[in-house]
Amino acid sequence: MLVRLLYASRAAEPLTGPVVDSILEQSRANNPKAGITGVLCFSDDLFIQALEGGRDEVCELYNTIVRDRRHLNVRILSFEEIRERRFGSWTMGQVNVAKVNPTLLLKYSERAELNPFICSGQASMALLDELIATAAVVGRSG
Ligand SMILES: Cc1cc2nc3c(=O)[nH]c(=O)nc-3n(C[C@H](O)[C@H](O)[C@H](O)COP(=O)(O)O)c2cc1C
């Protein structure tokens, strides 16, 4: 059975390229073995990540991620059973929010900035959907 989990968190320290790169490297090494796909969206100080795959695998990975000291204030935005994947092409796609058109951010938020902590999970998911549609997600695996 497939599930999709969406969470947001704050970076423990202002995010630098090497920190994001190391997370993506770990994700791309581990996720295929666990059948996990998804997308990691990041700005200077926060993450939104969608994880999809088998329920056990997604829950296990989430439990690992929550304990990671590179971030804090991890908040589940949504968890749902799904019939099919949305991010099946990405072992872990990436979106740098600094490169996203502010109009798109404004479409789903009160300000033209990413703040999943004050948005509904539905709005954050809709934003991720549009990011896929506008090809803002990079790192396609196949
Ligand atoms: C925001 C964030 C997202 C992460 N996403 C993943 C992921 O999708 N897959 C993964 O294996 N590790 C992810 N990690 C890293 C895990 O917390 C953990 O460090 C890693 O799975 C350990 O893998 P290793 O034992 O192969 O080094 C993430 C960490 C953070 C802070």
Side-chain angles (χ1 to χ4, degrees):
M1 184 225 304
L2 286 173
V3 300
R4 182 182 307 112
L5 187 153
L6 185 67
Y7 75 82
S9 61
R10 294 195 189 282
E13 314 232 324
L15 274 175
T16 59
V19 170
V20 174
D21 287 348
S22 78
I23 292 172
L24 288 168
E25 205 172 293
Q26 286 175 309
S27 306
R28 289 173 185 154
N30 296 334
N31 293 359
K33 288 177 261 174
I36 303 264
T37 53
V39 63
L40 180 69
C41 218
F42 55 90
S43 68
D44 290 343
D45 57 355
L46 56 84
F47 297 103
I48 301 183
Q49 188 175 32
L51 298 170
E52 53 186 21
R55 182 166 57 195
D56 281 352
E57 288 78 5
V58 168
C59 291
E60 289 297 332
L61 178 58
Y62 177 74
N63 288 337
T64 301
I65 290 174
V66 166
R67 291 194 296 267
D68 196 307
R69 292 185 176 199
R70 289 171 288 189
H71 65 170
L72 32 92
N73 300 139
V74 183
R75 299 289 180 264
I76 292 175
L77 303 179
S78 73
F79 180 86
E80 56 184 331
E81 292 178 1
I82 55 172
R83 280 183 24 191
E84 56 188 51
R85 295 174 192 254
R86 276 192 187 142
F87 307 106
S89 302
W90 292 275
T91 55
M92 191 44 61
Q94 57 177 302
V95 178
N96 182 346
V97 174
K99 296 185 179 162
V100 172
N101 185 340
T103 313
L104 185 53
L105 298 176
L106 196 56
K107 181 170 176 185
Y108 294 104
S109 324
E110 294 174 18
R111 303 263 155 76
E113 62 194 37
L114 187 66
N115 189 349
F117 296 99
I118 58 166
C119 287
S120 69
Q122 225 177 7
S124 296
M125 196 65 236
L127 174 63
L128 290 191
D129 274 340
E130 284 225 26
L131 291 173
I132 296 177
T134 57
V137 182
V138 296
R140 194 176 276 268
S141 64

